[in-house]
Amino acid sequence: MQPASKANQRIARISAHLHPPNFQMEESSGLRHANCQAKGTAPGFKVAILGAAGGIGQPLAMLMKINLLVSVLHLYDVVNTPGVTADISHMDTVRGFREEALVVMDLVIIPAGVPRKPGMTRDDLFNINAGIVRTLCEGIVKSCPKAIVNLISNPVNSTVPIAAEVFKRAGTYDPKRMLGVTTLNVVRANTFVAEVLGLDPREVDVPVVGGHAGVTILLLLSQVKPPCSFTPQEIEYLISRIQNGGTEVVE
């Protein structure tokens, strides 16, 4: 291959990363945006994050970029996506990286939506975030209906059923592939119980069941590991602290 041809391909490759939405290559070049990924990229999960420019989406994108199980990462948001895309793509990992949203994905994670503000309940978010989740799921149904869908958008207790209805109408609903992400409650429970017990949170395991909104969050203190006991005052404190952890952050 001539030096000039190599240079042109290198420039085209860089352009593909800097301007993915508008990038078009001539057929004769032999280079397509789909092929623009780092050498050494191993087969793995193709992951899309919808809402990648938000307060949850950006750190989530970073974690996915360094995850060895992720081979291709797609980011989508309604604002600021090119900047976030550029920033995350600069990380020195070998995972392939693209900005298209939903192209044959294995896993779609949805943190999109408006955040809860002081004085707002999760119910106040419903009218806005319900429509956002419905619209995004309609896109998933068209592009990658068999993908695993992880919903973070609040109120999770309500956005998961909405997403399920979209898939049911399309005839592609699989309850094993649609999950509401409520692990945050477990993380908080482990932290707060460890504080009460004076233990390392990494050594504490507190089962949490139910939903992800206030009184629907049920922590099983009788099943805590390592086995321990609590005073009535400690139980009251822990239940209130864990159920209202999200409100504490918002306020």
Side-chain angles (χ1 to χ4, degrees):
M1 185 178 293
Q2 298 298 318
S5 179
K6 288 184 178 179
N8 289 337
Q9 286 208 7
R10 176 174 290 185
I11 291 171
R13 188 180 296 274
I14 294 172
S15 178
H17 282 283
L18 292 178
H19 308 289
N22 303 317
F23 176 70
Q24 294 291 336
M25 286 297 298
E26 296 294 334
E27 287 289 339
S28 59
S29 71
L31 177 66
R32 290 185 173 276
H33 182 57
N35 298 323
C36 291
Q37 56 187 38
K39 180 180 180 182
T41 299
F45 287 97
K46 297 178 178 66
V47 179
I49 300 176
L50 310 185
I56 295 175
Q58 290 193 43
L60 178 61
M62 181 190 71
L63 292 171
M64 290 295 102
K65 184 64 164 62
I66 63 177
N67 192 311
L68 297 178
L69 298 177
V70 176
S71 62
V72 175
L73 178 64
H74 293 193
L75 304 182
Y76 171 80
D77 212 320
V78 291
V79 294
N80 301 326
T81 316
V84 174
T85 299
D87 195 22
I88 299 298
S89 70
H90 295 170
M91 294 174 63
D92 56 348
T93 66
V94 297
R95 250 61 55 206
F97 187 88
R98 296 183 294 197
E99 194 187 40
E100 296 107 326
L102 298 170
V103 183
V104 195
M105 293 289 96
D106 299 309
L107 171 64
V108 180
I109 310 175
I110 308 179
V114 298
R116 189 153 61 112
K117 298 177 177 62
M120 292 177 65
T121 67
R122 288 183 176 86
D123 290 340
D124 295 328
L125 301 176
F126 180 78
N127 290 334
I128 300 175
N129 287 352
I132 293 173
V133 168
R134 183 193 64 215
T135 301
L136 292 175
C137 286
E138 288 171 349
I140 296 170
V141 164
K142 293 179 181 178
S143 300
C144 49
K146 294 184 178 181
I148 296 171
V149 178
N150 284 0
L151 271 162
I152 300 174
S153 307
N154 266 324
V156 171
N157 295 43
S158 300
T159 55
V160 170
I162 288 172
E165 288 302 315
V166 174
F167 280 78
K168 287 177 181 178
R169 286 202 304 268
T172 59
Y173 176 62
D174 182 349
K176 295 181 179 179
R177 291 180 174 271
M178 182 167 294
L179 309 170
V181 181
T182 61
T183 309
L184 177 58
N185 297 325
V186 177
V187 173
R188 286 174 172 153
N190 291 344
T191 299
F192 300 153
V193 168
E195 289 175 353
V196 169
L197 298 176
L199 298 175
D200 185 333
R202 294 170 296 182
E203 299 175 354
V204 176
D205 181 19
V206 183
V208 181
V209 300
H212 183 57
V215 295
T216 69
I217 302 171
L218 307 175
L219 59 158
L220 307 183
L221 293 177
S222 63
Q223 305 300 313
V224 172
K225 296 178 181 178
C228 55
S229 60
F230 302 91
T231 67
Q233 291 78 15
E234 289 173 337
I235 292 174
E236 182 179 357
Y237 164 78
L238 287 170
I239 291 175
S240 176
R241 184 86 191 279
I242 294 166
Q243 288 184 342
N244 298 302
T247 302
E248 176 184 328
V249 172
V250 171
E251 291 178 348

